[in-house]
Amino acid sequence: MDEPLFDIDLNQLPNDGERVIEFEQNASELNEYPKEIDPFIGQYFLSEEEAFVCYKKYACRTGFSIRKYCTDKRKGEVKRRDFCCQCEGKAPLKLFDPSKEQRNRKSVRCGCKARMRITFRKSFDIFPQEWQIIEFVKEHNHELLTPLEVRFLPANRIISKKDKDCILLFKEGGLQVSQIMRVMELEKNIPHGYLPFFEKDVRNLFTKIAKKHGANDAEDLLRHCRIAKEENIKFQYAFMVDEQRRLEHIFWSPAHCFDWYHKYGDVVVFDTTYKVNAYQMPFGIFVGINNHGKRILFGCALLRNEKTTSLQWLMKVMATCIFSGVHLFSLYSFQFLINYYSSIVDFCIFNEETSEDHLNRSRSMDE
């Protein structure tokens, strides 16, 4: 009898269930090995940034955050770099001012010696840069955080460029910060509160962008008014600059507001109770009511201050741009305006009434 080609019994092959169990056992054994290797002395990196990312990932797994420390430069080139724990060193002394409220916040620096030092070494000509770990200290003198707590550290709260573009897009759509956070959580399909940044970080992003574009905001506003005037001749605006060629006052009235005044300008209310917090400039508005009893806007202005000269300029500009050629029945304002302008605006009848009083009176007249 011929011998079998294979030295196995086909009747004894494992079934599918046994194969699945064996596969799961092998997979569990593979998962026992660490997915990330801790840094070690002698490890090479192709760039300084690669070494920093490696140490930062290790810090996130371990429970602390890092920062770039001292460098050793020779002939203008960095030859050595240290990355240390955020608790390295001692807190600098602060000047105490008794007239100001002090924040009772303790510094996190406690002289921790944990660090990683890399040095520039070129062993092969095919690599432009080679950085090697020559010192690695793992011990900390403070309590480490859990993996869930590490993400609350400021160094780990990073808004990526993709997330930044989405945040700015949602802001242009009129969403509030809390709504932006919730939409991004749903978009990323993550639980509530598990984004890599907080609402405070988003608000800081808006502040940073506002400061970046704050130097040219006056020019942007004037450019917008100039373009709007070219597109529609009914758009009215006027401005004034100081001795240093800085924008001091500006008034503008969109085309539809100009038409509204010519239709419903019998009663005008001027109010300066609003203020722009970023510049501490009074924001004045000229409002009225239409034939449906709804409040409408005739024009608005930004003033440097509420001095007599500023308000006189505004009233003259308003009279030239809006009131010109149109009879004004009455202009309601505050007491200081009555004292300031009763002598210069001869076609206005000033009345000491509150906004609600004259609006109710205007509605009854319209009826």
Side-chain angles (χ1 to χ4, degrees), residues 62-333:
T62 307
F64 66 100
S65 64
I66 65 172
R67 55 186 171 89
K68 294 181 179 180
Y69 194 40
C70 59
T71 59
D72 181 13
K73 289 187 177 181
R74 299 173 188 175
K75 297 181 180 181
E77 296 183 357
V78 178
K79 298 296 182 180
R80 191 183 67 188
R81 164 73 76 174
D82 287 2
F83 306 118
C84 65
C85 174
Q86 84 275 8
C87 298
E88 186 275 338
K90 296 182 179 179
L93 297 177
K94 295 183 178 180
L95 297 177
F96 178 75
D97 188 356
S99 62
K100 297 181 180 180
E101 184 179 357
Q102 303 294 320
R103 293 188 301 175
N104 188 17
R105 187 175 66 177
K106 186 178 179 181
S107 176
V108 298
R109 298 195 178 187
C110 57
C112 182
K113 300 298 182 182
R115 64 175 180 176
M116 185 179 78
R117 173 174 293 178
I118 60 175
T119 184
F120 179 77
R121 290 180 180 178
K122 193 169 184 180
S123 303
F124 302 96
D125 295 335
I126 60 175
F127 300 118
Q129 289 187 5
E130 287 183 8
W131 295 84
Q132 184 183 24
I133 299 178
I134 60 174
E135 185 178 353
F136 181 62
V137 181
K138 300 178 61 174
E139 292 75 18
H140 297 261
N141 64 350
H142 56 89
E143 184 179 357
L144 298 178
L145 302 177
T146 63
L148 293 179
E149 296 172 338
V150 172
R151 66 187 187 92
F152 292 102
L153 296 175
N156 298 329
R157 302 203 311 259
I158 300 176
I159 302 178
S160 63
K161 185 180 183 305
K162 182 179 179 180
D163 291 340
K164 185 184 301 183
D165 295 339
C166 291
I167 291 173
L168 296 179
L169 181 62
F170 293 147
K171 183 176 184 297
E172 289 293 330
L175 297 184
Q176 300 179 358
V177 177
S178 58
Q179 295 173 332
I180 293 176
M181 298 289 290
R182 187 54 183 157
V183 169
M184 297 194 69
E185 289 172 350
L186 296 175
E187 184 182 16
K188 294 177 179 292
N189 194 21
I190 60 176
H192 178 64
Y194 276 81
L195 284 173
F197 48 86
F198 302 146
E199 288 190 13
K200 180 180 179 181
D201 302 319
V202 177
R203 300 183 191 277
N204 292 338
L205 173 64
F206 293 159
T207 303
K208 182 179 179 180
I209 295 176
K211 289 182 178 180
K212 181 179 179 181
H213 299 285
N216 301 324
D217 54 355
E219 296 180 2
D220 294 339
L221 177 58
L222 293 176
R223 186 183 303 109
H224 169 75
C225 293
R226 186 165 53 252
I227 295 175
K229 182 68 173 180
E230 294 175 356
E231 294 177 351
N232 194 327
I233 196 173
K234 291 184 178 181
F235 183 91
Q236 305 292 329
Y237 79 101
F239 64 94
M240 179 180 179
V241 295
D242 57 11
E243 296 80 5
Q244 301 179 3
R245 303 295 299 173
R246 297 180 303 180
L247 183 64
E248 188 171 9
H249 314 304
I250 183 170
F251 165 84
W252 69 94
S253 176
H256 63 277
C257 297
F258 182 80
D259 293 335
W260 283 344
Y261 173 75
H262 284 256
K263 294 179 181 179
Y264 313 110
D266 293 335
V267 178
V268 179
V269 183
F270 178 69
D271 188 7
T272 58
T273 57
Y274 300 97
K275 213 166 197 179
V276 179
N277 295 330
Y279 306 98
Q280 292 298 312
M281 297 176 64
F283 180 66
I285 57 174
F286 293 86
V287 297
I289 58 173
N290 59 13
N291 56 341
H292 298 288
K294 302 295 184 180
R295 299 182 185 183
I296 53 178
L297 178 68
F298 296 142
C300 46
L302 281 173
L303 305 176
R304 177 69 59 85
N305 47 52
E306 290 183 347
K307 294 182 179 179
T308 306
T309 55
S310 302
L311 296 173
Q312 285 177 347
W313 175 88
L314 176 60
M315 296 303 296
K316 290 180 179 178
V317 168
M318 185 67 178
T320 303
C321 296
I322 302 296
F323 297 157
S324 179
V326 182
H327 174 69
L328 180 66
F329 178 75
S330 58
L331 174 66
Y332 295 85
S333 185

Side-chain angles (χ1 to χ4, degrees), residues 25-87:
Q25 292 177 351
N26 295 334
S28 61
E29 293 176 358
L30 291 175
N31 291 333
E32 294 178 358
Y33 293 95
K35 296 181 180 180
E36 298 288 346
I37 301 176
D38 295 344
F40 57 90
I41 297 178
Q43 185 177 0
Y44 275 94
F45 302 96
L46 296 180
S47 65
E48 178 185 339
E49 187 64 25
E50 183 182 354
F52 178 75
V53 172
C54 176
Y55 193 39
K56 185 176 182 179
K57 291 182 178 180
Y58 165 77
C60 292
R61 298 194 306 269
T62 307
F64 66 100
S65 64
I66 65 172
R67 55 186 171 89
K68 294 181 179 180
Y69 194 40
C70 59
T71 59
D72 181 13
K73 289 187 177 181
R74 299 173 188 175
K75 297 181 180 181
E77 296 183 357
V78 178
K79 298 296 182 180
R80 191 183 67 188
R81 164 73 76 174
D82 287 2
F83 306 118
C84 65
C85 174
Q86 84 275 8
C87 298

